[in-house]
Each structure stands twice: as C-alpha cells, then as structure tokens.
Amino acid sequence: MDHSSHHTGTAHDHAEHRAHRGHGLGNASWGTAAKATLHCLTGCAIGEILGMAIGTTLMWGNIQTMILAITLAFVFGYSFTLFAVRRAGLGWKSAVKVALAADTVSIAVMELVDNGIIALTPGAMDAELSDALFWTALLGGFAVAFVITTPVNKWMIGRGKGHAVVHAYH
C-alpha cells in the first residue's frame, strides 16, 4: 500500500518513531532517562568544574565559588539544549523556553545532590585544585547525582516533561 499520499513531500521514517518510543508520554525507558541525565550532567560538570577552578584560582571564599559554580552549571546545562534546538531551526525565544522546560528540574536536582555531597564531605570545601580530595568529592558527587537524577528524569520523560520536550526538535 502506498502511503505517500498521506505526507506532504517529506520522508516519513517509521523506524525513527520506534526508536523514540521511550520519549514522551507513557513509560520512558531507563536508557532514555540515562541519556538525558548524562546530557544534563555533561553541561553541569563543565560549568561546575570551571566555576570551582575560577573561584579557587581567584582565592574566593567557599560561598562565592559555589555560587559561581552552580550558576555556570545552569548556564552550560541549558546551553547544550539551547544550541541543539536552535540548530533544529527554533527561534531564540522558543529555544530558551524549551531549554528551561527540558533541563531546569534535572539541573536543580543534580546541583542540589552534587553540592550537598561536596559540602558534607569533610575538608572538600577547603581543598585545592591539586588535592585528590577536591576531585574525589567532586566526581563522587557527580556520580551520586547521576544515580539520583536518572529516576527523576525517567519519571518526567514518561509524563512528556523535562527532556521529552526536546525530542520534538530532533
């Protein structure tokens, strides 16, 4: 049966729909949630490491350094989504709305967990960039944040929220 009359000049790839079944409403897969979390974690890690490095190098206090690191984590976390949906043709205003909807909860949970672990690890807040404790606490915090944020993203994607809103654009 020829289905070409149902489409207006664009190819329709049913395999692509099957590959994206876990995105959106319904039961999101763990793989989809892990990919969304890893995407978020990458931006957060870049921003947070950069913020910690800048604050430590400038000999800022713990609070100022943490504020910078968290701010940059959000900036880099949002920017990954923002540039992806812009590349897909979305205007700036719409792209910002999608990035905020897709990543805010994920980044917030990740930052809360990661920075909580750093703050609760004895000596980590005073460690220098050259100290193993600095990197152990930071990377351990990222690992725990990934484990805790993945089920949050799975729940949100399964309800058509969070990272699920991005999939309409790729």
Side-chain angles (χ1 to χ4, degrees), residues 25-142:
L25 296 175
N27 193 10
S29 73
W30 282 106
T32 298
K35 285 179 189 175
T37 306
L38 187 59
H39 174 268
C40 181
L41 178 63
T42 303
C44 288
I46 291 168
E48 191 157 332
I49 291 169
L50 184 60
M52 295 279 193
I54 290 169
T56 301
T57 301
L58 296 175
M59 292 186 277
W60 286 0
N62 290 336
I63 300 298
Q64 295 90 338
T65 299
M66 194 172 270
I67 289 170
L68 176 63
I70 292 169
T71 300
L72 290 178
F74 273 91
V75 168
F76 278 88
Y78 286 138
S79 69
F80 277 28
T81 299
L82 181 67
F83 291 121
V85 296
R86 285 281 297 143
R87 200 175 26 232
L90 227 55
W92 277 104
K93 186 176 180 180
S94 295
V96 168
K97 287 180 181 178
V98 167
L100 291 172
D103 295 331
T104 299
V105 172
S106 183
I107 295 171
V109 170
M110 197 162 294
E111 287 302 299
L112 180 66
V113 171
D114 177 47
N115 285 286
I117 288 172
I118 292 168
L120 294 173
T121 301
M125 294 295 289
D126 297 319
E128 300 289 326
L129 292 174
S130 60
D131 294 337
L133 179 59
F134 174 88
W135 294 102
T136 303
L138 186 64
L139 297 176
F142 289 150

